[in-house]
Amino acid sequence: MAYPDDLLGEDEYVVVHKHPHWKMLVVPVLLLFVVVGGGSYLAALAAPTPWHLPAWIALAVVGVVLLAWLTLAPLVRWRTTHFVVTTHRLMVREGVFTRSGIDIPTSRINSVRFRHGLLDRVLGCGTLIVESASDEPLEFDDIPQVEKVHTLLYREVNDDPRDDPGYAGEGR
């Protein structure tokens, strides 16, 4: 999925666009199975009772609320979180109802590091650490293919336009 072009400058294009790694959806999917299984079990227990219809309605209401809170909300949060590297900046956007974002011009980035443990290495994700002119380094967790993103971002940060054969600026 391409990032919206209306957020990009005239000569800016997307180098990398990622959502967080799918591992952050494992627990919500497991909770989906627990809620559906537990609700089905409780509905079966309530079936032989004379008050089974109100019990089923109550179970359905509780089940829908739990599914929306424990499964649907994390899925929507994952889908609306964007990590984007362009030719000019690093952008992070997250949130559903309240959106937040950060833009860091590549010219202001001092260093780029990554970190991933054994499980992250097996799953192919990790934490990207970006040091810029701000006081604290920014850490972006669960970035898929973090080593590739690290390399691409490093290239964008250290890309000198004078190295481009088509460069017609001053000094040549």
Side-chain angles (χ1 to χ4, degrees), residues 1-171:
M1 177 178 110
Y3 202 70
D5 291 335
D6 59 339
L7 296 178
L8 303 177
E10 288 180 23
D11 59 343
E12 184 177 23
Y13 65 90
V14 173
V15 177
V16 176
H17 177 208
K18 301 278 186 186
H19 293 284
H21 194 267
W22 57 263
K23 80 174 188 179
M24 72 180 292
L25 297 175
V26 170
V27 171
V29 168
L30 291 176
L31 290 172
L32 167 75
F33 294 134
V34 168
V35 169
V36 170
S40 299
Y41 177 73
L42 292 174
L45 286 179
T49 63
W51 41 269
H52 68 276
L53 190 58
W56 286 349
I57 292 171
L59 284 171
V61 168
V62 169
V64 166
V65 168
L66 285 175
L67 289 177
W69 181 42
L70 299 174
T71 302
L72 187 61
L75 177 64
V76 171
R77 195 174 311 115
W78 172 82
R79 188 69 182 136
T80 58
T81 299
H82 300 274
F83 181 86
V84 182
V85 177
T86 71
T87 52
H88 292 45
R89 58 190 162 152
L90 166 68
M91 298 187 296
V92 178
R93 302 282 188 270
E94 56 189 2
V96 180
F97 298 113
T98 303
R99 297 281 294 164
S100 65
I102 185 169
D103 289 9
I104 305 171
T106 54
S107 61
R108 307 272 276 167
I109 295 175
N110 297 331
S111 70
V112 182
R113 297 180 290 143
F114 70 90
R115 177 181 64 235
H116 53 178
L118 182 60
L119 181 61
D120 287 341
R121 290 178 69 186
V122 169
L123 295 175
C125 64
T127 300
L128 190 70
I129 304 159
V130 177
E131 292 183 23
S132 64
S134 67
D135 296 336
E136 296 290 323
L138 299 171
E139 293 190 8
F140 303 102
D141 296 324
D142 297 329
I143 302 295
Q145 302 172 325
V146 70
E147 290 185 48
K148 180 181 177 185
V149 173
H150 167 265
T151 301
L152 291 171
L153 182 57
Y154 180 80
R155 285 182 188 156
E156 289 300 320
V157 167
N158 293 310
D159 190 20
D160 187 353
R162 291 173 290 186
D163 294 338
D164 185 9
Y167 178 73
E170 293 190 30

